[in-house]
Amino acid sequence: HVQLVESGGGSVQPGGSLSLSCTVSGSPAYTLRTMGYYRKSPGNDCELVSSVDNRDTVYIDESVKGRFTISQDSAKNTIYLQMKTLSPADTAVYYCATAFDRSLQQAVGKYCSGGYNHFWAQGTQVTVS
């Protein structure tokens, strides 16, 4: 079965940097695999921050463009999210997710656990203060 293990996160002062990584295992056969990060902060819906697929198509939300960079190591089934110039508005629980033969949905609802045929990691806290 599909499993996602993410690492990274933590606390940093405004203007600082953090990195997240996420490794997927147990993938079924696929033509398209998309991996990415969502985030959930109190009072807000779960939002897609950035994603990349196995064709190297990248999505990045306007709110983090120029500050966050997503990359992947296909051989390791791992993605990386480098976050720079962090602000308190970036404080959230960040969830790695993957979907097969489809893109990650931009809207998955209030919680980072939905989306059609999406698989989720446990989430990691990022605090900027």
Side-chain angles (χ1 to χ4, degrees):
H1 60 286
V2 178
Q3 285 190 309
L4 292 155
V5 178
E6 60 181 323
S7 61
S11 296
V12 67
Q13 293 183 341
S17 301
L18 286 172
S19 295
L20 306 177
S21 65
C22 178
T23 300
V24 63
S25 62
S27 297
Y30 60 86
T31 300
L32 176 70
R33 183 187 70 190
T34 309
M35 294 181 69
Y37 282 94
Y38 292 78
R39 65 185 180 185
K40 173 75 172 78
S41 57
N44 294 319
D45 286 351
C46 180
E47 62 173 345
L48 180 61
V49 175
S50 186
S51 67
V52 59
D53 67 27
N54 58 308
R55 300 167 184 171
D56 290 327
T57 301
V58 172
Y59 165 81
I60 188 152
D61 189 75
E62 284 294 327
S63 66
V64 302
K65 193 168 288 186
R67 301 187 298 119
F68 290 15
T69 303
I70 195 165
S71 60
Q72 66 180 331
D73 184 333
S74 298
K76 295 182 179 179
N77 294 313
T78 299
I79 62 169
Y80 307 92
L81 185 69
Q82 294 184 318
M83 305 180 290
K84 299 180 180 180
T85 320
L86 287 161
S87 75
D90 297 312
T91 296
V93 179
Y94 284 69
Y95 294 86
C96 178
T98 190
F100 300 97
D101 293 328
R102 63 189 301 115
S103 299
L104 290 175
Q105 294 176 205
Q106 289 201 11
V108 294
K110 190 173 182 180
Y111 300 106
C112 294
S113 59
Y116 179 76
N117 209 27
H118 284 41
F119 300 87
W120 297 87
Q122 74 279 8
T124 187
Q125 178 71 46
V126 170
T127 302
V128 186
S129 64

